[in-house]
Amino acid sequence: MGASSSSATSVVEPKMSPRAPVSGASASPVRRSSSFEFLPPSMSELRVVLLGNSWSQRSSVGNFILGENKFSTEAEADWCLTVRGRVKEKHIVLINIPDLLHPNMSEYRLRRNVGTCERLSDPGPHVFLLVLQPEDFTEEHKLKLCRVLNLFSHRSFYHSLVLISTPREESPGLMEKYHQHPPLKEMIRDCHYRFLWQKDLEPAELLTRLGQVVKEHDGDHLSCRSDRWTRLMEYEMMMFDDMMSHILSKSGAAV
């Protein structure tokens, strides 16, 4: 079932892992629903942050949700890119941010992009859609992704849904093999076993699952502001410690 939509793109230039597995939960993909459920009647807008280890994959999924090509899947932007669309009489805001999982991204750039994303999703995102390419998702990627989610809020994992991209090369038993891949398996567990395979996925099915995550929280969005000052103080203390260590090391060298 396709999703009809109209959307506009806006670009915002940049300024400036807890683990709680559900006891007894089984790691099985979300079942398809025969009825197209989406958002509660009282909700008019869904805000989704796209995260993952491939700009192209995230952009492709964003276009898939909207039913039209609004994100470029070729060149990765250096800033947060926001697309607003309309699906089933509901507004959808998709936020695609630069690759936060890149090993060479500095702490400053990481925090700056997270802060920009918080502002674009104000008053807060409803769902983090984690688009993961199974062949490329490493232990380092998993740790970095958990770090990013924690920067938004310690409750981000409760608002996260893992979407496993179709492997580039398919063979019998390959999908189950990737499902058991430790970094991917642990990420699914950290997100309380909310995951879908992209293979043969329909837009209505993905929208339904996004809506189910929203309904789990009674339509409430994630509040990032409650953690913002705590994170700021921690960061300033870390920067102060680094500065003092640098000063003391220079003093020692001078002596």
Side-chain angles (χ1 to χ4, degrees):
M1 176 178 179
S4 59
S5 62
S6 59
S7 55
T9 306
S10 62
V11 175
V12 175
E13 296 287 349
K15 297 180 179 178
M16 285 255 338
S17 137
R19 182 172 298 161
V22 177
S23 176
S26 58
S28 57
V30 177
R31 295 180 180 178
R32 299 189 177 191
S33 173
S34 57
S35 61
F36 182 26
E37 301 174 358
F38 188 24
L39 297 179
S42 59
M43 284 188 64
S44 61
E45 181 178 87
L46 173 68
R47 296 181 295 277
V48 180
V49 174
L50 301 171
L51 294 173
N53 55 323
S54 168
W55 171 271
S56 176
Q57 288 289 336
R58 296 194 306 272
S59 298
S60 177
V61 169
N63 294 335
F64 178 76
I65 292 173
L66 295 172
E68 53 184 317
N69 295 328
K70 290 297 179 181
F71 286 113
S72 170
T73 59
E74 300 300 327
E76 178 172 356
D78 292 327
W79 49 81
C80 295
L81 193 62
T82 303
V83 165
R84 298 176 183 274
R86 192 173 178 86
V87 177
K88 293 293 180 180
E89 304 304 317
K90 301 290 187 180
H91 294 283
I92 297 183
V93 179
L94 301 179
I95 303 169
N96 200 356
I97 49 185
D99 188 3
L100 301 183
L101 306 188
H102 195 283
N104 296 328
M105 177 167 287
S106 67
E107 181 72 10
Y108 171 76
R109 283 192 63 201
L110 180 67
R111 288 177 176 270
R112 181 187 64 184
N113 283 310
V114 168
T116 302
C117 184
E118 285 183 1
R119 181 164 52 86
L120 292 173
S121 63
D122 191 69
H126 294 102
V127 184
F128 292 94
L129 185 57
L130 314 182
V131 184
L132 307 182
Q133 187 72 35
E135 302 98 318
D136 303 330
F137 192 65
T138 64
E139 178 68 17
E140 184 179 8
H141 283 141
K142 187 205 76 175
L143 294 175
K144 196 67 173 285
L145 183 53
C146 288
R147 165 78 172 143
V148 168
L149 288 170
N150 272 314
L151 281 175
F152 281 99
S153 169
H154 68 284
R155 293 191 57 80
S156 295
F157 296 88
Y158 293 95
H159 291 258
S160 296
L161 171 65
V162 175
L163 178 62
I164 307 173
S165 301
T166 303
R168 299 187 191 94
E169 298 181 5
E170 296 188 61
S171 62
L174 190 61
M175 293 178 72
E176 180 59 27
K177 172 188 173 182
Y178 284 128
H179 184 208
Q180 296 302 320
H181 181 49
L184 186 59
K185 185 177 182 179
E186 291 170 8
M187 197 71 232
I188 291 172
R189 182 185 63 188
D190 288 348
C191 295
H192 304 274
Y193 303 97
R194 300 185 197 88
F195 77 100
L196 285 168
W197 287 97
Q198 190 175 3
K199 181 179 173 62
D200 300 325
L201 186 67
E202 297 180 357
E205 183 181 354
L206 179 53
L207 287 169
T208 297
R209 191 61 185 108
L210 291 171
Q212 288 173 354
V213 176
V214 172
K215 291 172 185 176
E216 288 177 17
H217 302 281
D218 298 323
D220 291 338
H221 58 76
L222 178 71
S223 177
C224 303
R225 295 173 179 170
S226 59
D227 291 345
R228 189 172 299 167
W229 289 109
T230 300
R231 296 199 309 269
L232 180 60
M233 291 298 296
E234 289 176 349
Y235 182 59
E236 289 182 346
M237 289 176 65
M238 180 184 70
M239 294 297 292
F240 178 77
D241 289 343
D242 289 345
M243 181 182 69
M244 291 302 298
S245 297
H246 181 68
I247 292 173
L248 291 173
S249 63
K250 289 185 66 176
S251 299
V255 174

